[in-house]
């Protein structure tokens, strides 16, 4: 028994997966394909993908947005949890990695649900605002370059409806954020972002230690 969050060792982690992970063959194949390419550590953990699917279903999301798609694992977890007429807008600036995502969207029969915007994510978010998208999204996932988190966060908060849910990835950054000696630019950026969120009275927050740390933000 423990009244604080457990430190998960490999044995407990394997157990957790064995009794709760329901990963489709398609997602398993995508995860395996991604393991062989550059920056494969950017792919989210499978139990995190399943958790996000659950969140999307729980809030009955119809319109979702993802900032940073990479090879598509999280986008498939989000999009499959949307109703058939739901939409997931995906923003990413890599043609190479999102080509893999595109292949799997097609295999999963999700291409009608996905509105992919290639290019700089902050420009795509501003475009959504300009097109009248403010307050129109139920669920948003931020998982892109860490230095721009504050910018993505402000634009996303604007695009999110009241009561909507925003999930921000990598907020524990392999634990580096807790090491005062670690002054890497990305570590400092996430640390600063976490401190900003802590003080942001517009939202309710919870930092969930799943994957590399996932902060849930409810727009009040
Ligand atoms: Ca990530």
């Amino acid at each position: 028994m423990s009244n604080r969050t457990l430190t998960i060792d490999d044995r407990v982690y394997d157990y957790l997966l064995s009794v709760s992970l329901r990963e489709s063959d398609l997602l398993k194949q995508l995860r395996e394909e991604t393991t062989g390419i550059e920056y494969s550590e950017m792919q989210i953990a499978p139990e995190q993908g399943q958790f996000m699917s659950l969140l999307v279903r729980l809030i009955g999301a119809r319109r979702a947005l993802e900032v940073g798609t990479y090879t598509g694992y999280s986008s498939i977890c989000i999009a499959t949890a949307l109703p058939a007429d739901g939409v997931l807008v995906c923003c990413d600036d890599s043609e190479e990695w999102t080509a893999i995502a595109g292949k799997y969207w097609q295999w999963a029969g999700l291409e009608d649900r996905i509105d992919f915007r290639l290019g700089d994510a902050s420009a795509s978010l501003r475009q959504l605002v300009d097109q009248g998208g403010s307050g129109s999204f139920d669920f948003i996932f931020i998982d892109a370059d860490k230095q721009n988190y504050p910018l993505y966060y402000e634009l996303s908060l604007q695009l999110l409806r009241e009561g909507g849910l925003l999930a921000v990835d990598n907020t524990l950054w392999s634990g580096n954020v807790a090491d005062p000696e670690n002054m890497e630019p990305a570590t400092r950026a996430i640390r600063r972002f976490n401190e900003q969120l802590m003080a942001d009275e517009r939202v309710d927050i919870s930092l969930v230690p799943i994957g590399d740390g996932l902060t849930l933000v409810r727009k009040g």
Side-chain angles (χ1 to χ4, degrees):
M1 214 185 311
S2 177
N3 61 0
R4 45 152 290 161
T5 302
L6 285 177
T7 304
I8 302 269
D9 61 19
D10 287 353
R11 196 171 66 158
V12 177
Y13 182 60
D14 290 345
Y15 175 79
L16 178 154
L17 296 181
S18 73
V19 295
S20 69
L21 183 66
R22 297 174 175 174
E23 189 179 39
S24 66
D25 290 342
L26 182 132
L27 280 175
K28 205 175 288 174
Q29 200 178 326
L30 170 56
R31 192 153 57 87
E32 278 159 14
E33 181 170 346
T34 303
T35 303
I37 70 164
E38 205 185 7
Y39 303 115
S40 61
E41 70 280 6
M42 294 205 317
Q43 179 167 245
I44 63 164
E47 68 278 13
Q48 179 185 340
Q50 187 173 317
F51 178 59
M52 295 203 308
S53 292
L54 181 68
L55 292 176
V56 169
R57 286 228 168 91
L58 270 175
I59 65 164
R62 306 189 74 82
R63 275 174 62 77
L65 168 64
E66 174 176 83
V67 185
T69 291
Y70 188 49
T71 58
Y73 195 99
S74 51
S75 67
I76 291 173
C77 294
I78 298 166
T80 48
L82 295 172
D85 63 347
V87 175
L88 169 64
V89 178
C90 289
C91 305
D92 202 290
D93 64 359
S94 167
E95 215 160 336
E96 186 190 342
W97 294 331
T98 54
I100 298 173
K103 189 172 73 177
Y104 282 86
W105 292 337
Q106 206 162 23
W107 284 354
L110 291 169
E111 68 270 41
D112 292 345
R113 248 179 254 185
I114 290 172
D115 172 357
F116 174 52
R117 316 260 174 130
L118 180 68
D120 173 65
S122 57
S124 299
L125 296 179
R126 282 201 185 91
Q127 191 187 35
L128 287 166
V129 170
D130 292 344
Q131 290 168 344
S134 295
S136 74
F137 287 90
D138 306 299
F139 180 84
I140 302 180
F141 179 49
I142 298 179
D143 186 15
D145 54 297
K146 310 311 166 196
Q147 271 85 346
N148 280 315
Y149 265 22
L151 178 60
Y152 300 143
Y153 173 72
E154 280 306 323
L155 288 164
S156 295
L157 206 56
Q158 192 172 342
L159 289 163
L160 197 66
R161 70 163 163 86
E162 291 226 343
L165 185 63
L166 177 63
V168 187
D169 200 31
N170 303 106
T171 49
L172 289 177
W173 203 234
S174 306
N176 291 335
V177 281
D179 173 8
E181 310 268 285
N182 189 313
M183 296 300 273
E184 295 284 317
T187 306
R188 293 173 62 184
I190 293 177
R191 208 180 273 141
R192 208 163 43 236
F193 174 73
N194 286 339
E195 287 161 9
Q196 277 170 17
L197 261 188
M198 180 67 176
D200 190 342
E201 292 180 351
R202 298 170 295 175
V203 294
D204 303 319
I205 60 169
S206 178
L207 201 173
V208 184
I210 191 168
D212 195 31
L214 181 70
T215 300
L216 302 182
V217 180
R218 179 188 175 272
K219 182 176 175 178

